[in-house]
Amino acid sequence: MSAPGHHKSAIVRWYDKVAAFKVEDLFARKTEPGPQRTIFVNENLPDDYHDQRGRVKREHVYATNQVITSKYTIITFVPRNLLEQFRRVANVFFLGIAVLQFFNIFSTISPGLVLLPLLIVLTITAVKDGYEDVKRHQSDRTVNHSMVRVLAGGDWVNPNAMQKKSRTFVRGLMPRLRPKIKVLTSNSNGEELAGVTTAATAVSERVEYDDPVEDAHILPTVFAHGGTETDRLRPHWKTTPWENVAVGDYVKIMNNESFPADILICSTSEEENVAFVETKNLDGETNLKSRNAVSDLTHIRSAADCASPHNKFRIECDRPDVNMYKLNATVKVGKEIFPVDMQMALLRGTVLRNTEWVIGVVMYTGQDTRIVMNSGVTPSKRSKVERQMNPQVFINLIILAIMAVVCGVVDSVLEHRYFPRGAPWLFGETLSDDNPSINGLITFVFALITFQNIVPISLYISIEFVRTCQAAFIYFDSEMYYEKTDQPSLARTWNLTDDLGQIEYIFSDKTGTLTQNLMIFQRCSIGGKMYNGDPEEEEEIKEEPPVYPSEKDSKGIPLVDIPSSSAGSSTRVDKTGARDSAAPAMKKASNEPLRHFHDTDLSRDLREAVHADPNTPNAAHARQLNGFFTVLALCHTVLTNIDPVTRKIEYKAQSPDEAALVQAAADMGFIFRGRDKEVLLLQTPFSHMGVGEEDAASASGSDTDRYSRDGGVERYELLNILEFTSARKRMSVVLRKLDDDGRIFLLSKGADNVIFERLKPGSGVELKAATEKHLDQFANQGLRTLTLAYKVIGEEEYREWSERYNAASISMEDREGKVALLCDELERDLRLLGATGIEDKLQDGVPETIADLKRAGIKMWVATGDKLETSIAIGHSTNLIARESNIIVVRGNQSGRPVYDQLVHSIEEFFPESGILDGEGLTAPPGRPSTTDSTYGHHPTNGGHLQRTQTGMSSIVGANNGERPGGFVLVIDGAALDFVFSDESSKNLLLRLAMVCEGVICCRVSPLQKALIVLLVKDGIEAMTLAIGDGANDVSMIQAADVGVGISGEEGLQAVNSSDYAIAQFRFLKRLILVHGHWSYARNGNMILNFFYKNIVCIGVLWWFQIYCFWSSTYVFEYTYLLFWNSFWTIAPVIAIGLFDRVADDHVLMALPELYWHGREGKWFGIWDFAVYMFDGVVQSAIIFFLILYTYFTTSSRTTGWGVSTYEFSTTMAFSAVFTANFFNGLNTNVWTGWVFFAVFFGDVLILVYTAVYNTLSPGWIVTPVFGNNHFLFPSAYFWLSLPLTILLALLPRYLWKAWRFGFYPDDVDTVRYIHKMDPTRDLSQDQRGVGLAALKRPASVASYPVSRPGSVASFAPGPSTDVRSASRTDMSTGMRSVVHRGFDFSTEENGVAMKRMQTNLSERRQSSRSLASEPNPSPTRRRDTLSHVFGVRRKFLQRKGNSKDSPD
């Protein structure tokens, strides 16, 4: 591994510059991001937007919404493809040789026949490339022709000008009828509209109306064929392809639809004009984000509103930017200006969820959208083997040039010497074009033609054929076929199969690639007792949404028709009462399968708890069960909806974690029924204890009030939400139970260390210890943990706190700080209830795959948009972070150390002897504090060890940080990467630090940063890289890597469309790399070396003959033997190597990933191997030529004593050369199958048959110089004795070397093959430390340290606490170190619009009711702050004796 920036010679730098030439740079449209734009809605463009001819100026013409990921168009296909192919040095050489033979003086055969092989190579490659690109065009067409509702009709005209759409390859081949374009000069009001064009409404276009018609007595209708002409003149929504969407268009997006462009929100179906979007295509986060409409545009709620000339405004936007988290824009309505930020925008690539509809205005289209700007141009990738071949071909060309120069010079010298002596063969050479001086130059050119096979054109045809077959092997591999989706693995780019065998770094996305986008409630600990859930069964995972409950639910809990006030909607209902689009259920946004939680022990305990006697020991646990699931069911922000058809409850959750928690509570009978403004409705197994079974069974939607009043549904008033943030690591709600007592509860959930610090001192010590033990086990199993607690708040205490909280929430100074302090004050003296363990469901086989890839010496980097805690949690569960790993965290926060200092301190602290900082000088770049001038109080100024840091929560410093044996894993966030990529010294430092770490996790990164991370390694250390992902945010990373792999997951096919290989599951990557990659690289490398070898044997024989023909470039063979050398005689064995050779069987390569080091370190193909094979060919050609020559000439082979003819001994040489080359290729084949036997002997038999037939053809049939040669060739004893002698002597050196190496110095492949040969039934995966595999014990790569190989993280049986999360963790930005980390992770939107609206509603309610007098009076009897009165257990249930004490914790 070369160090970044290592010194290179001038020649190498020149060659690298030529080799780095990218054809796509010539054809890519180098369009700079457009200027700042003003979008005009319902008003004409200003006069200064037009030029003198009345056309819109170029700077005000916006990019079309057509997005093209393909490489070619109908115009650029031929020139671009030819340029790509002529990057091969050999193709340029072949073209030059073919051109030379168009001159009669140099012609050997028909010039057209000489050009034919080159044309075949170019045509085959062009057809393959064209086929690949047609597939890309078809994928683009699918995206560009997705349909969206766009405003049309009425007086609506969009004046903003757009570029013309590109004429793509498919569009050019298959032209379609386009609708006629009409030019509008004025609208219905007579206003002039210069230069505005619009497509005429096609009769077949689908239009929709969402406003009632005054003179019609029907509901708003969807006209399948556009309705009448009168209807089309009314404003309506017209479905149109994405590629036709223009800047300034109004669009209407329905639930679960994707956004075609970057859009400004005008209004939504929700009461607060909030929209929920899924952004995992952009940032990989699974939780929904909330967005809100521009306040002054919320009245635009229909097509008529949009088209109304009264609703005219302008949108002033900044120029297109790659930053997906920043937007600077304003909306100007009249003279009023309203600011716009990213919270009011919907980006292309995101999906609308939990919102019936959104109306918006298009701001950016196509190449100007954020997601496309973060994606690169489709690259033209070349394999590493092909790049290595170029210098080898260049060497052969140099050898060819030397040979030609020698022939030309020596021939000229000899002619000058013998011409004065009257040499008969030089008679008449006195002409201007035929004399000893000019003949040297002619001989030079003839030599180029004679020895041209030293660079075989058939090699390129063979490589293309072999790679095509290797792509087919991948497609037909049943081990990589995913039966569930009926999807095989697919090679979309056929020329990179050998690159799969040389991968050094893998860059992976997280969401959808490593995980399934599915949270499953797996385990819980309640009151010190752990419930592990029933064993997982495949049939439990269903595609249907959860519905709670059915009318025949086994729990006997009837369905109550609770109206959902959270999803105010203007969705139209037809006569059947069905909605236009079904509401999602419980994060059913992306249609994930949902799995219910079942636990037999827990169900039994709950049944016993319902009927428990208050004097039994089970009473305390019963109350804890009730409290635990009540917290799960109420401490959240989940909304409910009633399905209009089934009348069953569906949950709408922003966070998949919350969805799993609320669903688990519902599975156990604690059903959240929704909210009526600030009143939460909860049904529990304890709720209906006072209701008779008959009453409960007959309850229906019409009985809601009676059922709730009688106890069927408990009612809680939501008083406050103390929201979750990454700093707080907890969420709490303050509730008042609306019963006779009216008690106030604080329900909390959060990280274990945060909750434990806030427990009531001295209370529940045993419960805390038991819960900690269970949390350790959850973390050991890779689960995301939350700890639950509660507190009963006194009336006076809450009243006083509420007043202070209200004052803080409206404070103008340090509002966030004051609110945080008051939240912390209330969240004290909590009582512990238990903990939960949720599995972020991994793709099948992910931990095992990553573990084996690490054993193969491949370093794994994860790049995700998720937050740091989630990324680390996934690192643990996927085996990327091992048990004893040390985690180095580098953040780009504003309050901590500068990023450069963090990198320097990381190296000084953990790698002091690595030499990374040698020569760095530790000089801080301008504008950055020096590491030697620290201004950070507790940090050392001399770069020494980090000191113990006390925080407000706890001391989290570990004593043995950096000393754990598992190596180091670097975790760095997007903010830090922003700085690193802007500073060359920081980038170099990060690269060097990452090289000495076992793995790297990059969190909170943008799509563009993913690509920059790949390029950092790819260009920095010239390593082979592979990127794998499944979403649009992974496209740039996939394109930047040497090999891009797309997973056809739930995030769409954007990644697959841009990838080189498409697989259905991450686990298939192991077989793709370790088997197909290893095989392809070894096969192709071996095939190419043998190809060069066999041609040097042929050329060598021709070369040695020049000694005896006065260096005249004369052929020693009859020309057809040379012509068919690569076409028939020797082609089959090398093709067999490329198709059927195996260094080891597939199950061996899968069982022993360590064998991959041969490919990773480039051992199967290189310049040294090339030199050895070339030397072998030269030696063998000398043996063949000189032995046969002197055999035939020492004594005549003819019985008559006459001298032999040239073709008599040269044909014997041809036989010997063919047999030797084929057997040598067979000797270099590791596995001899029936196909290999056939291939090795095919050319040998063919040349025998050809010679026997060809020598019998008389000159009357064809001009031939070898007619009758059979009479002298085959009867000769020299022929039959020379063949075995020369073949054996030629092959003997290679055979002896292979035997000596295998016997005395076998490598690990030899060892494994021998073991498998002697004991085919031996399981090598279980015998990695056996004596027979001692050769495998090579020095381990830093990326291949031993790791455990667990199954699914959900399949662990409960066992002793072996905390996999005990790996040391150092945050370099603060200096804090932690050892104990019990798996806390919780994903939800922070400071989102939806939460702000909820807080605003609560605040307004507090303002309108400052007095608590209206609340139910508290009971005059003071209730004990214990679990005996928790959450909805009726007063007569589990009543304590008068002398009872606090229930145990």
Side-chain angles (χ1 to χ4, degrees):
M1 181 177 68
S2 58
H6 59 281
H7 179 71
K8 295 180 179 179
S9 66
I11 296 178
V12 174
R13 288 198 303 272
W14 173 83
Y15 177 80
D16 288 344
K17 185 178 295 184
V18 173
F21 167 72
K22 296 180 180 180
V23 175
E24 57 265 26
D25 291 342
L26 296 178
F27 296 91
R29 296 180 176 178
K30 300 180 178 63
T31 55
E32 292 292 328
Q36 293 182 351
R37 61 183 62 187
T38 300
I39 303 168
F40 296 86
V41 181
N42 280 316
E43 59 179 301
N44 287 331
L45 299 179
D47 293 338
D48 58 359
Y49 270 48
H50 300 86
D51 58 19
Q52 295 177 350
R53 297 183 180 181
R55 297 177 300 186
V56 179
K57 295 179 180 178
R58 180 176 299 179
E59 60 266 24
H60 302 303
V61 178
Y62 308 124
T64 174
N65 203 40
Q66 185 184 43
V67 174
I68 299 175
T69 62
S70 52
K71 293 195 296 185
Y72 306 116
T73 67
I74 195 68
I75 298 174
T76 64
F77 176 72
V78 173
R80 177 170 179 175
N81 189 262
L82 287 177
L83 275 175
E84 288 177 353
Q85 294 199 58
F86 278 100
R87 287 192 297 180
R88 293 173 173 171
V89 176
N91 283 351
V92 178
F93 168 72
F94 299 143
L95 180 63
I97 293 297
V99 170
L100 283 176
Q101 297 195 52
F102 275 88
F103 298 93
N104 292 331
I105 191 172
F106 304 121
S107 178
T108 54
I109 54 176
S110 171
L113 191 61
V114 173
L115 194 60
L116 184 62
L118 178 60
L119 292 177
I120 292 175
V121 171
L122 297 178
T123 302
I124 291 176
T125 305
V127 169
K128 176 183 70 69
D129 293 343
Y131 174 78
E132 293 175 356
D133 208 57
V134 165
K135 291 298 183 182
R136 294 190 186 97
H137 277 281
Q138 291 173 348
S139 301
D140 291 342
R141 182 178 176 82
T142 301
V143 174
N144 290 327
H145 282 73
S146 301
M147 305 305 289
V148 64
R149 298 167 185 81
V150 177
L151 180 67
D155 296 335
W156 166 252
V157 173
N158 182 5
N160 302 281
M162 302 293 292
Q163 296 175 355
K164 293 182 179 180
K165 291 184 292 187
S166 298
R167 187 178 179 85
T168 62
F169 191 72
V170 174
R171 189 188 302 275
L173 291 179
M174 297 178 294
R176 301 171 66 246
L177 293 177
R178 291 175 171 79
K180 294 182 179 179
I181 304 298
K182 62 181 181 181
V183 179
L184 300 182
T185 59
S186 65
N187 61 17
S188 58
N189 295 331
E191 297 174 343
E192 184 179 355
L193 299 172
V196 177
T197 60
T198 182
T201 304
V203 175
S204 60
E205 285 178 334
R206 176 186 174 96
V207 297
E208 299 180 11
Y209 300 91
D210 54 7
D211 58 321
V213 184
E214 294 182 1
D215 58 349
H217 51 276
I218 58 173
L219 288 173
T221 311
V222 174
F223 296 95
H225 299 288
T228 65
E229 183 64 28
T230 303
D231 290 329
R232 288 198 297 270
L233 292 177
R234 295 172 47 226
H236 58 267
W237 299 107
K238 177 186 68 176
T239 55
T240 187
W242 278 20
E243 65 178 7
N244 292 339
V245 172
V247 171
D249 274 347
Y250 275 107
V251 293
K252 184 176 183 179
I253 309 298
M254 308 303 290
N255 192 34
N256 295 333
E257 292 182 351
S258 298
F259 297 102
D262 293 351
I263 297 168
L264 177 71
I265 308 175
C266 293
S267 62
T268 79
S269 59
E270 304 302 299
E271 290 180 350
E272 303 287 346
N273 278 297
V274 174
F276 296 96
V277 294
E278 186 177 70
T279 62
K280 62 185 179 184
N281 260 348
L282 299 182
D283 55 25
E285 293 193 48
T286 55
N287 56 288
L288 302 185
K289 308 293 193 309
S290 56
R291 300 288 184 262
N292 63 289
V294 179
S295 59
D296 205 60
L297 302 180
T298 55
H299 62 282
I300 302 177
R301 305 183 66 82
S302 66
D305 294 336
C306 295
S308 172
H310 300 292
N311 292 324
K312 63 179 181 179
F313 57 91
R314 299 180 181 183
I315 307 173
E316 296 182 354
C317 305
D318 205 348
R319 64 184 303 176
D321 192 3
V322 296
N323 192 334
M324 296 191 301
Y325 306 102
K326 178 184 177 182
L327 173 64
N328 292 323
T330 58
V331 172
K332 187 175 182 180
V333 183
K335 295 183 179 181
E336 296 186 53
I337 298 178
F338 302 88
V340 172
D341 57 20
M342 195 57 75
Q343 288 293 329
M344 302 175 188
L346 301 168
L347 301 183
R348 180 182 176 124
T350 59
V351 182
L352 185 65
R353 303 295 190 194
N354 293 354
T355 310
E356 295 298 337
W357 54 263
V358 165
I359 293 176
V361 177
V362 176
M363 294 186 293
Y364 301 101
T365 52
Q367 300 297 326
D368 292 338
T369 58
R370 296 296 201 271
I371 185 63
V372 176
M373 291 188 71
N374 275 271
S375 302
V377 179
T378 303
S380 299
K381 296 183 178 180
R382 301 167 64 212
S383 71
K384 184 179 180 180
V385 166
E386 185 175 336
R387 296 195 301 269
Q388 289 176 312
M389 276 177 57
N390 264 357
Q392 295 176 4
V393 170
F394 194 68
I395 291 173
N396 276 4
L397 290 178
I398 293 176
I399 295 174
L400 174 61
I402 294 173
M403 295 169 68
V405 168
V406 169
C407 287
V409 170
V410 175
D411 178 72
S412 180
V413 170
L414 292 177
E415 287 195 22
H416 277 92
R417 177 185 300 174
Y418 289 99
F419 182 76
R421 301 179 186 180
W425 65 87
L426 301 178
F427 179 77
E429 289 191 358
T430 58
L431 305 177
S432 60
D433 59 346
D434 186 10
N435 58 72
S437 298
I438 196 66
N439 283 350
L441 180 60
I442 296 174
T443 301
F444 167 78
V445 177
F446 262 118
L448 292 178
I449 298 173
T450 300
F451 305 124
Q452 64 176 298
N453 273 1
I454 197 172
V455 183
I457 191 171
S458 56
L459 170 60
Y460 291 94
I461 301 177
S462 303
I463 290 176
E464 295 295 341
F465 173 75
V466 165
R467 284 175 171 166
T468 301
C469 293
Q470 289 170 351
F473 293 159
I474 293 174
Y475 180 82
F476 290 108
D477 189 346
S478 60
E479 298 293 327
M480 297 170 61
Y481 170 75
Y482 193 46
E483 187 174 0
K484 183 178 179 180
T485 57
D486 188 28
Q487 180 185 349
S489 298
L490 178 66
R492 294 172 53 85
T493 303
W494 296 349
N495 63 336
L496 299 178
T497 49
D498 37 59
D499 276 355
L500 289 170
Q502 305 172 74
I503 301 301
E504 299 172 72
Y505 288 83
I506 293 177
F507 299 83
S508 175
D509 176 43
K510 182 192 79 70
T511 306
T513 303
L514 302 179
T515 65
Q516 296 186 23
N517 304 333
L518 179 63
M519 300 294 178
I520 297 180
F521 190 96
Q522 290 285 6
R523 287 161 174 71
C524 59
S525 170
I526 307 174
K529 182 176 181 180
M530 185 163 65
Y531 297 95
N532 294 306
D534 294 336
E536 181 178 352
E537 298 180 4
E538 195 66 29
E539 57 270 18
E540 289 183 356
I541 300 180
K542 303 177 181 179
E543 297 292 336
E544 296 298 323
V547 288
Y548 304 114
S550 67
E551 296 184 10
K552 298 181 180 180
D553 194 285
S554 59
K555 298 180 177 66
I557 304 173
L559 172 63
V560 182
D561 186 6
I562 304 297
S564 174
S565 63
S566 61
S569 171
S570 60
T571 304
R572 302 298 174 184
V573 182
D574 61 20
K575 294 180 179 180
T576 64
R579 294 173 183 250
D580 289 345
S581 61
M586 185 78 84
K587 194 66 175 63
K588 191 176 179 287
S590 53
N591 298 317
E592 299 100 340
L594 295 168
R595 177 172 173 266
H596 297 280
F597 177 70
H598 300 289
D599 187 282
T600 305
D601 293 339
L602 180 56
S603 299
R604 184 183 62 251
D605 288 351
L606 279 171
R607 287 194 299 269
E608 294 175 354
V610 172
H611 305 289
D613 188 283
N615 297 317
T616 62
N618 293 333
H621 191 61
R623 293 188 291 272
Q624 290 169 327
L625 287 170
N626 188 28
F628 179 88
F629 284 107
T630 301
V631 174
L632 285 187
L634 294 178
C635 186
H636 56 73
T637 58
V638 174
L639 305 178
T640 59
N641 186 42
I642 301 297
D643 187 278
V645 178
T646 64
R647 308 300 300 165
K648 295 181 179 179
I649 295 177
E650 298 173 336
Y651 288 139
K652 301 195 297 183
Q654 275 186 265
S655 163
D657 296 84
E658 286 196 335
L661 294 173
V662 178
Q663 177 188 337
D667 290 336
M668 290 295 104
F670 291 77
I671 304 170
F672 176 59
R673 291 289 184 179
R675 63 184 74 217
D676 184 5
K677 294 184 179 179
E678 281 76 42
V679 177
L680 309 182
L681 306 172
L682 175 66
Q683 179 178 318
T684 77
F686 302 93
S687 303
H688 62 284
M689 290 176 54
V691 182
E693 292 184 4
E694 295 181 1
D695 295 335
S698 62
S700 65
S702 60
D703 307 317
T704 302
D705 294 336
R706 183 187 67 81
Y707 193 68
S708 301
R709 182 176 60 253
D710 291 344
V713 174
E714 298 175 0
R715 300 164 63 84
Y716 293 85
E717 181 184 6
L718 178 62
L719 301 178
N720 300 96
I721 300 177
L722 312 184
E723 60 184 293
F724 176 89
T725 66
S726 298
R728 281 170 41 79
K729 294 187 178 180
R730 63 190 182 276
M731 174 189 177
S732 301
V733 294
V734 181
L735 306 171
R736 182 193 300 278
K737 186 175 183 184
L738 300 180
D739 60 4
D740 296 339
D741 296 330
R743 288 169 297 160
I744 300 175
F745 297 97
L746 173 74
L747 314 183
S748 295
K749 62 183 180 185
D752 55 285
N753 63 317
V754 174
I755 297 297
F756 287 162
E757 290 171 358
R758 285 159 177 77
L759 295 179
K760 187 175 182 179
S763 175
V765 176
E766 294 181 0
L767 173 59
K768 178 183 176 184
T771 305
E772 285 181 324
K773 180 179 179 181
H774 296 160
L775 283 167
D776 288 340
Q777 295 185 28
F778 294 167
N780 184 43
Q781 296 158 16
L783 302 181
R784 299 156 65 108
T785 63
L786 279 176
T787 305
L788 277 58
Y790 85 104
K791 172 184 178 181
V792 179
I793 307 174
E795 190 70 37
E796 292 299 325
E797 178 186 357
Y798 176 73
R799 187 193 308 272
E800 187 271 336
W801 178 88
S802 179
E803 291 179 356
R804 291 189 290 128
Y805 181 81
N806 182 59
S809 64
I810 59 176
S811 173
M812 299 302 294
E813 297 181 1
D814 192 23
R815 179 183 303 173
E816 291 78 10
K818 292 178 180 179
V819 169
L821 288 175
L822 285 169
C823 292
D824 184 70
E825 175 187 323
L826 189 64
E827 294 167 324
R828 294 287 177 177
D829 294 335
L830 303 178
R831 290 187 176 272
L832 183 63
L833 289 171
T836 62
I838 297 177
E839 178 185 3
D840 189 354
K841 189 71 173 178
L842 298 177
Q843 298 278 0
D844 295 337
V846 166
E848 297 88 343
T849 300
I850 291 181
D852 286 337
L853 292 175
K854 290 167 71 176
R855 287 175 54 198
I858 300 173
K859 283 193 174 184
M860 188 85 180
W861 289 36
V862 173
T864 176
D866 266 332
K867 62 182 182 180
L868 186 140
E869 289 79 6
T870 303
S871 305
I872 292 178
I874 290 298
H876 283 294
S877 59
T878 58
N879 275 340
L880 183 61
I881 302 176
R883 295 175 182 270
E884 295 296 326
S885 293
N886 303 278
I887 305 172
I888 304 173
V889 179
V890 177
R891 299 175 186 255
N893 54 0
Q894 299 293 329
S895 58
R897 281 196 184 115
V899 175
Y900 185 83
D901 287 0
Q902 294 182 51
L903 297 174
V904 171
H905 278 282
S906 299
I907 297 169
E908 291 175 338
E909 175 74 8
F910 305 116
F911 310 102
E913 299 179 0
S914 63
I916 295 177
L917 297 178
D918 294 349
E920 290 292 317
L922 295 182
T923 302
R928 180 170 61 212
S930 170
T931 57
T932 59
D933 297 326
S934 176
T935 58
Y936 309 102
H938 59 269
H939 298 302
T941 59
N942 58 358
H945 291 280
L946 299 174
Q947 303 300 315
R948 183 180 183 88
T949 301
Q950 298 292 339
T951 70
M953 296 184 298
S954 63
S955 174
I956 55 174
V957 182
N960 60 341
N961 184 67
E963 299 175 1
R964 295 177 179 270
F968 291 83
V969 175
L970 175 64
V971 180
I972 184 169
D973 67 7
L977 288 172
D978 269 339
F979 174 81
V980 167
F981 290 130
S982 65
D983 177 64
E984 197 64 30
S985 60
S986 296
K987 185 162 64 173
N988 187 33
L989 201 59
L990 172 64
L991 179 60
R992 294 184 178 211
L993 174 60
M995 293 303 99
V996 294
C997 292
E998 311 293 345
V1000 179
I1001 299 176
C1002 305
C1003 56
R1004 292 291 190 188
V1005 292
S1006 67
L1008 184 59
Q1009 285 179 327
K1010 289 185 177 184
L1012 294 176
I1013 292 165
V1014 174
L1015 294 175
L1016 176 68
V1017 176
K1018 177 182 174 182
D1019 298 337
I1021 60 173
E1022 299 178 357
M1024 290 295 294
T1025 58
L1026 179 147
I1028 180 170
D1030 73 323
N1033 59 326
D1034 304 316
V1035 169
S1036 56
M1037 175 176 71
I1038 287 172
Q1039 292 177 336
D1042 292 292
V1043 180
V1045 179
I1047 295 181
S1048 52
E1050 296 180 359
E1051 296 187 32
L1053 298 176
Q1054 295 95 327
V1056 170
N1057 293 343
S1058 303
S1059 67
D1060 304 306
Y1061 295 90
I1063 59 178
Q1065 293 277 289
F1066 182 84
R1067 58 190 167 96
F1068 295 154
L1069 183 65
K1070 174 184 174 183
R1071 185 172 179 86
L1072 182 68
I1073 291 178
L1074 299 187
V1075 176
H1076 289 283
H1078 202 159
W1079 277 352
S1080 297
Y1081 176 45
R1083 288 168 174 172
N1084 293 356
N1086 196 12
M1087 179 187 73
I1088 293 169
L1089 292 173
N1090 280 277
F1091 225 111
F1092 280 126
Y1093 150 80
K1094 72 183 184 64
N1095 277 52
I1096 206 68
V1097 169
C1098 174
I1099 297 303
V1101 174
L1102 297 180
W1103 171 255
W1104 301 125
F1105 182 66
Q1106 302 308 306
I1107 301 173
Y1108 302 93
C1109 70
F1110 268 61
W1111 304 91
S1112 60
S1113 303
T1114 303
Y1115 297 112
V1116 64
F1117 301 140
E1118 196 274 333
Y1119 185 72
T1120 59
Y1121 286 96
L1122 184 62
L1123 184 66
F1124 295 146
W1125 177 266
N1126 284 317
S1127 304
F1128 297 108
W1129 313 145
T1130 61
I1131 190 66
V1134 288
I1135 294 293
I1137 290 175
L1139 294 181
F1140 307 114
D1141 194 19
R1142 298 193 303 272
V1143 292
D1145 289 344
D1146 57 345
H1147 68 275
V1148 174
L1149 296 176
M1150 292 287 282
L1152 297 173
E1154 292 85 354
L1155 296 175
Y1156 188 76
W1157 76 269
H1158 290 270
R1160 180 169 48 80
E1161 297 184 10
K1163 297 298 183 181
W1164 298 123
F1165 186 71
I1167 197 69
W1168 171 252
D1169 302 291
F1170 169 77
V1172 170
Y1173 275 77
M1174 293 288 285
F1175 178 75
D1176 237 332
V1178 171
V1179 171
Q1180 293 180 21
S1181 67
I1183 292 174
I1184 292 169
F1185 179 84
F1186 289 106
L1187 277 179
I1188 293 177
L1189 178 71
Y1190 287 115
T1191 297
Y1192 272 83
F1193 278 90
T1194 300
T1195 303
S1196 174
S1197 63
R1198 300 188 183 185
T1199 56
T1200 61
W1202 289 92
V1204 296
S1205 68
T1206 301
Y1207 292 128
E1208 188 175 339
F1209 72 85
S1210 70
T1211 303
T1212 305
M1213 291 180 182
F1215 271 85
S1216 179
V1218 169
F1219 278 62
T1220 300
N1222 288 342
F1223 290 155
F1224 184 84
N1225 292 340
L1227 190 63
N1228 291 323
T1229 305
N1230 296 290
V1231 178
W1232 277 60
T1233 64
W1235 287 106
V1236 174
F1237 273 99
F1238 171 79
V1240 168
F1241 291 100
F1242 172 77
D1244 305 333
V1245 173
L1246 192 62
I1247 193 173
L1248 279 169
V1249 174
Y1250 172 79
T1251 300
V1253 174
Y1254 185 53
N1255 290 352
T1256 60
L1257 297 178
S1258 67
W1261 288 86
I1262 187 174
V1263 177
T1264 171
V1266 292
F1267 174 66
N1269 193 36
N1270 288 343
H1271 297 287
F1272 303 103
L1273 180 66
F1274 294 119
S1276 172
Y1278 288 176
F1279 173 81
W1280 298 107
L1281 291 176
S1282 295
L1283 287 183
L1285 179 64
T1286 54
I1287 293 171
L1288 290 176
L1289 288 178
L1291 297 180
L1292 187 61
R1294 170 67 61 148
Y1295 177 80
L1296 291 177
W1297 178 79
K1298 289 175 72 73
W1300 174 80
R1301 195 196 67 172
F1302 184 84
F1304 296 97
Y1305 295 98
D1307 59 19
D1308 44 15
V1309 173
D1310 296 329
T1311 304
V1312 170
R1313 291 177 59 201
Y1314 177 79
I1315 293 173
H1316 184 59
K1317 177 71 175 179
M1318 302 306 295
D1319 187 4
T1321 62
R1322 188 169 182 173
D1323 187 356
L1324 298 177
S1325 64
Q1326 302 298 323
D1327 190 26
Q1328 297 172 24
R1329 299 185 180 182
V1331 176
L1333 300 184
L1336 290 181
K1337 296 182 180 179
R1338 300 172 47 80
S1341 165
V1342 293
S1344 58
Y1345 56 89
V1347 292
S1348 60
R1349 302 183 59 188
S1352 170
V1353 294
S1355 63
F1356 286 88
S1361 175
T1362 309
D1363 189 11
V1364 74
R1365 310 295 176 102
S1366 64
S1368 171
R1369 173 173 165 183
T1370 303
D1371 189 335
M1372 300 308 299
S1373 68
T1374 62
M1376 296 192 303
R1377 297 177 184 166
S1378 62
V1379 175
V1380 178
H1381 177 59
R1382 296 192 176 92
F1384 161 73
D1385 193 16
F1386 184 70
S1387 175
T1388 190
E1389 182 185 24
E1390 298 182 23
N1391 302 316
V1393 175
M1395 177 61 71
K1396 290 179 180 178
R1397 294 297 173 91
M1398 293 179 68
Q1399 296 283 30
T1400 300
N1401 291 338
L1402 291 174
S1403 177
E1404 290 174 352
R1405 177 176 162 276
R1406 287 195 300 269
Q1407 291 289 347
S1408 63
S1409 180
R1410 287 192 174 265
S1411 173
L1412 296 179
S1414 61
E1415 304 296 340
N1417 292 327
S1419 173
T1421 306
R1422 180 177 175 83
R1423 309 285 296 206
R1424 288 188 176 90
D1425 183 10
T1426 67
L1427 278 171
S1428 60
H1429 307 292
V1430 170
F1431 317 125
V1433 181
R1434 299 185 63 82
R1435 297 190 62 181
K1436 67 178 183 179
F1437 176 63
L1438 299 183
Q1439 295 254 329
R1440 305 297 302 259
K1441 301 274 187 175
N1443 59 353
S1444 65
K1445 305 295 182 184
D1446 290 347
S1447 65
D1449 293 297

